[in-house]
Amino acid sequence: MISRRHLLQTAGAAGALAGLPSFVRAQGAGPMLTPGVPSGVATYATMATLPGKKPLIRLADRPPNYESPLEYLRTPITPNDQFFVRYHLADIPEVKVETYRVKVGGDAANGQAELTFDDLKKFPAVEVVAVNQCSGNRRGLSQPHVAGVEWGYGAMGCARWKGARLKDILDKVGVKKECIEVGFNGADGPAVDKTPDFIKSIPTWKAIDPETIIAYEMNGQPLPHFNGFPARLIVPGWTGTYWMKHLTTIDARTQPQGGFWMNPAYRIPVNKFPVVNRFLTQENATSTPITEIVVNSLITSHRDGAIVKPGKVTVSGLAWDGGYGVRRVEVSTDGGKSWSDAKLGEDLGKYAFRSWSFDLNAKRGKNTVMVNATNAIGQTQVSQLIFNPAGYHNNVMQSITLNA
Amino acid sequence: MRTFALAAAVVLLASAALAQEQEIKLKPGAGLDKVEGNCAACHTLAYIPMNSPFLDAKGWDAEVTKMIKAYGAPIEDADAKAIAEYLKSNYGP
């Protein structure tokens, strides 16, 4: 069933818009959009409120694709009600805890199991703070533009996830040494049965990583419906496509997972990005699955074109990567000629957003501010877009203008 | 609910009950009825203005083909042609 009974309530209550500039109420999402997304987005997109959420940028409501405005990304932990929402398929059931089941098996499993929600909670509980970033985050900024959901900066968030290790669950049924991948399905499905169901897999080495978990808590609360209630897969360091929501099936496999969502979807050209951890059983001569998040940063204290007072201005934001950890964030106020270290905030773990701040001296007129993050293995952001047909991995250094 | 006809019926029935779903007013033009009748069965029409005005004729043809070949949209050949022509004429660069 297409279940949207109380899914789509447009923003209206002034109270629900607290924290956003008042003009948003009058003008819709236009001012909330990231500069550079296709101009068609501004012709229809408004802020809209899903149940349990604050107003988000509504790019699409069936299937639901809602982006966090920049103002929600000022803290290293993104509150649940401000976290972005991304679905591929429109048939999204409201899963009940009482009837929820996860089936564990597959041709590379020695046995089978069917776990209830309570069963998941009986495994040792593990916490990991990790960024969930949509593979297509910043697709809307690709030049030339490419087809797809035209995300700006906000198809990402970071939460403290708590749940059971996938490894412990796999150990319960026993996994053969021939297991090369573990596949996953969730409760959401397509509107027509010929549309491929959203099924994904990860390599066994990533599946048994002690920080790959089935999460039933997000920031100390049950997962919001639109973020995968009651339980979803957490694959720290890897893009959101693998983080199966409303998880229903765990499939230990001796053969590579097939299907549209593994190939041709969610692929990057081989040898184009500096990726360390590849998904080799899915790689071919020309393309490979997107895997780890590339090092990146974002100024979240100010929007491009913001008006500031001359003198000391504190610019701040976030930096993150695929799990090596952010080592350094640098800011340039002279168009990239010279760079100075920003002050890093609390380290919440190698998969988390790292906050940073930088004091600059704004002069009257235009002030440009650029930011560049470096991770623990020396990877930095790029100054020129590495174009690819799906618009993935855009970590071009951001540059904004402050008007003093 | 695993057939197209049923899905379409549900969408049509639901459209009255689910008045909250955002109404996307597409540009008037030849083929708009085919766009509304086919594309909206599976997804909001917002994807059309969202992916404009940068997709050129080749780009819109590729999108229509992807919907049919990759996503299994049951669209008649004549309708697919009308949809592609509408998109090229109204949402091209």
Side-chain angles (χ1 to χ4, degrees):
Chain A
M1 275 294 292
I2 296 170
S3 160
R4 289 169 290 145
R5 273 188 304 279
H6 39 253
L7 186 146
L8 305 160
Q9 298 156 350
T10 43
L17 289 161
L20 291 179
S22 56
F23 57 75
V24 172
R25 262 164 272 173
Q27 296 183 16
M32 297 286 98
L33 298 176
T34 302
V37 300
S39 58
V41 177
T43 64
Y44 73 91
T46 65
M47 303 300 289
T49 311
L50 293 165
K53 291 283 182 182
K54 286 195 168 163
L56 296 165
I57 301 166
R58 177 175 54 189
L59 292 174
D61 57 17
R62 181 166 53 92
N65 286 291
Y66 290 65
E67 173 170 349
S68 301
L70 194 70
E71 288 72 13
Y72 292 177
L73 297 168
R74 288 180 172 161
T75 53
I77 297 289
T78 316
N80 292 2
D81 60 3
Q82 300 176 27
F83 217 92
F84 80 104
V85 172
R86 196 278 184 266
Y87 280 87
H88 303 82
L89 305 172
D91 182 2
I92 306 166
E94 285 181 29
V95 182
K96 299 265 181 290
V97 165
E98 301 75 40
T99 52
Y100 176 68
R101 298 288 184 277
V102 186
K103 286 184 178 150
V104 190
D107 72 340
N110 291 323
Q112 292 182 20
E114 194 173 80
L115 305 176
T116 66
F117 188 72
D118 286 341
D119 291 337
L120 282 181
K121 290 196 150 183
K122 286 177 194 150
F123 290 95
V126 177
E127 285 192 355
V128 58
V129 181
V131 172
N132 178 10
Q133 178 178 234
C134 176
S135 307
N137 196 27
R138 303 190 183 185
R139 173 182 293 118
L141 307 182
S142 177
Q143 284 298 342
H145 286 306
V146 293
V149 179
E150 299 297 334
W151 302 106
Y153 290 135
M156 63 172 194
C158 178
R160 182 179 298 276
W161 310 93
K162 181 179 174 184
R165 282 192 190 96
L166 177 58
K167 179 181 190 304
D168 291 346
I169 292 167
L170 290 169
D171 284 347
K172 188 181 163 79
V173 296
V175 170
K176 300 184 172 93
K177 65 178 191 304
E178 292 82 8
C179 182
I180 58 166
E181 296 181 8
V182 179
F184 306 93
N185 197 359
D188 47 326
V192 298
D193 63 359
K194 280 189 177 167
T195 302
D197 196 5
F198 184 68
I199 294 169
K200 297 292 293 189
S201 69
I202 57 176
T204 302
W205 64 264
K206 188 67 176 173
I208 62 173
D209 184 297
E211 291 185 291
T212 298
I213 65 173
I214 312 297
Y216 44 75
E217 271 186 26
M218 177 176 176
N219 295 327
Q221 299 290 320
L223 273 61
H225 166 67
F226 290 104
N227 298 111
F229 183 85
R232 77 178 302 173
L233 186 66
I234 305 301
V235 189
W238 286 30
T239 61
T241 183
Y242 301 104
W243 297 41
M244 187 65 70
K245 296 185 290 296
H246 320 288
L247 182 70
T248 57
T249 310
I250 299 171
D251 176 27
R253 305 179 59 88
T254 64
Q255 300 297 318
Q257 175 72 56
F260 172 77
W261 301 104
M262 293 302 296
N263 188 10
Y266 288 107
R267 294 245 158 191
I268 54 174
V270 290
N271 298 326
K272 213 158 186 187
F273 293 96
V275 170
V276 178
N277 284 316
R278 286 147 59 198
F279 190 167
L280 293 173
T281 51
Q282 292 281 343
E283 191 166 303
N284 62 37
T286 56
S287 74
T288 191
I290 190 169
T291 53
E292 60 193 15
I293 297 167
V294 293
V295 64
N296 218 334
S297 65
L298 182 65
I299 300 165
T300 61
S301 58
H302 297 79
R303 283 184 176 266
D304 187 27
I307 295 164
V308 297
K309 285 183 181 159
K312 185 186 152 188
V313 173
T314 301
V315 174
S316 60
L318 301 169
W320 65 99
D321 80 332
Y324 303 98
V326 172
R327 185 172 73 196
R328 188 178 199 187
V329 174
E330 294 164 287
V331 172
S332 173
T333 55
D334 58 8
K337 289 198 269 295
S338 66
W339 295 86
S340 304
D341 280 346
K343 195 170 96 183
L344 295 182
E346 189 185 357
D347 184 356
L348 297 174
K350 60 186 182 175
Y351 298 109
F353 278 151
R354 189 78 187 262
S355 60
W356 57 266
S357 68
F358 184 82
D359 292 340
L360 59 85
N361 186 25
K363 59 186 190 312
R364 278 196 193 280
K366 290 189 182 302
N367 297 262
T368 63
V369 185
M370 290 177 72
V371 60
N372 182 23
T374 303
N375 69 6
I377 58 169
Q379 295 172 328
T380 62
Q381 296 180 236
V382 297
S383 50
Q384 294 292 321
L385 179 75
I386 301 174
F387 179 84
N388 63 105
Y392 297 144
H393 280 338
N394 180 337
N395 67 341
V396 176
M397 286 178 253
Q398 187 195 12
S399 177
I400 68 166
T401 300
L402 300 179
N403 296 306
Chain B
M1 202 209 62
R2 280 289 179 265
T3 71
F4 175 73
L6 249 172
V10 166
V11 168
L12 289 173
L13 278 172
S15 60
L18 298 169
Q20 304 101 321
E21 181 168 326
Q22 185 183 18
E23 190 192 349
I24 302 293
K25 276 207 186 299
L26 296 181
K27 295 175 190 171
L32 176 59
D33 57 329
K34 304 296 184 198
V35 170
E36 290 175 341
N38 286 282
C39 310
C42 292
H43 61 79
T44 167
L45 297 174
Y47 285 101
I48 293 168
M50 187 200 299
N51 281 277
S52 76
F54 63 91
L55 283 177
D56 57 11
K58 201 174 144 204
W60 280 122
D61 276 335
E63 287 307 301
V64 174
T65 301
K66 183 168 84 178
M67 292 304 146
I68 296 166
K69 293 267 162 68
Y71 290 88
I75 303 176
E76 309 266 338
D77 286 352
D79 282 9
K81 199 159 178 275
I83 290 166
E85 287 309 314
Y86 170 85
L87 295 171
K88 288 184 245 182
S89 302
N90 294 283
Y91 287 92

